[in-house]
Amino acid sequence: MNSFVPQPASGAPAKAPVPRRRRKDARPSELTAAALALFVDKGFAATRLDDVAARAGVSKGTLYLYFSSKEALFKAVIEDGMVAALAAAEERLAGFHGSAAELLHELLLGWWRQIGRTAMAGVTKLIISESRNFPEVAQYYHERVITRGRALLRHALERGIGSGEFRPLNVEAAIDVIIAPLLMLAISRFSLRLCGPQVAPETYLETHFELLLQGLRGADPIDDRQSTATTACS
């Protein structure tokens, strides 16, 4: 029977193949991807580092080589996902030469492409539901994500007001109004379905933008007077 087993020419026993090692620099991204999936699925409190390590296919000791705690891992998830997307948006904004309306449209649709349609949108629901129990995590999210996101919208609105494209308004209140439907869309992906069954997210966002733009531009006083006169004569 052994005559049918190939042997090395030297007669030495064949060496077992050396297992392929994953690139060391790929490990952090694998860990944050596993953590994001578990944070969204289980929540921050219920996610254990053991579970993250198992999902990523590494030991818990390997996880601790990169992240000292669950809070540190969560911060890395935010940095790799939302902060990276915001940085890209800031870069686009710096070189944007279109109108304020076009810039605002790019910001809203860019949010959907980079965050809203991805698993990262589930972090929004996580923060809302667990911020009271983990204020440090919520504060980090506010400083790194919310503050920078609001700054992008503030820039677009102030640009439009300054050029006369948008009417004067309370910019901070307008930012709240712009963000609220985005939060609802993100939350609806991971809990209640708030959009109608026939409304695609892209249609939802375009409708939000159209209504928003009408409010930002305001009504033309001449058109209002003409409309009143027409009604009175009919």
Side-chain angles (χ1 to χ4, degrees), residues 144-171:
R144 299 294 291 158
V145 176
I146 295 178
T147 299
R148 292 176 72 170
R150 291 182 69 90
L152 287 168
L153 293 173
R154 186 180 301 110
H155 178 89
L157 293 174
E158 290 178 346
R159 178 173 176 169
I161 294 171
S163 66
E165 187 178 345
F166 299 156
R167 63 183 176 85
L169 45 76
N170 186 317
V171 171

Side-chain angles (χ1 to χ4, degrees), residues 24-94:
K24 193 172 183 179
D25 60 355
R27 285 255 171 86
S29 62
E30 293 170 359
L31 292 168
T32 54
L36 173 60
L38 289 169
F39 284 147
V40 172
D41 184 42
K42 294 185 174 184
F44 185 81
T47 297
R48 302 182 308 150
L49 291 181
D50 286 340
D51 298 331
V52 175
R55 189 180 184 98
V58 300
S59 68
K60 188 175 179 179
T62 298
L63 188 151
Y64 272 111
L65 289 176
Y66 299 100
F67 305 106
S68 60
S69 65
K70 186 164 63 173
E71 289 77 8
L73 182 57
F74 176 81
K75 291 177 180 179
V77 168
I78 297 301
E79 293 293 326
D80 288 352
M82 290 187 169
V83 174
L86 286 168
E90 291 166 349
E91 186 175 346
R92 290 196 301 272
L93 183 149

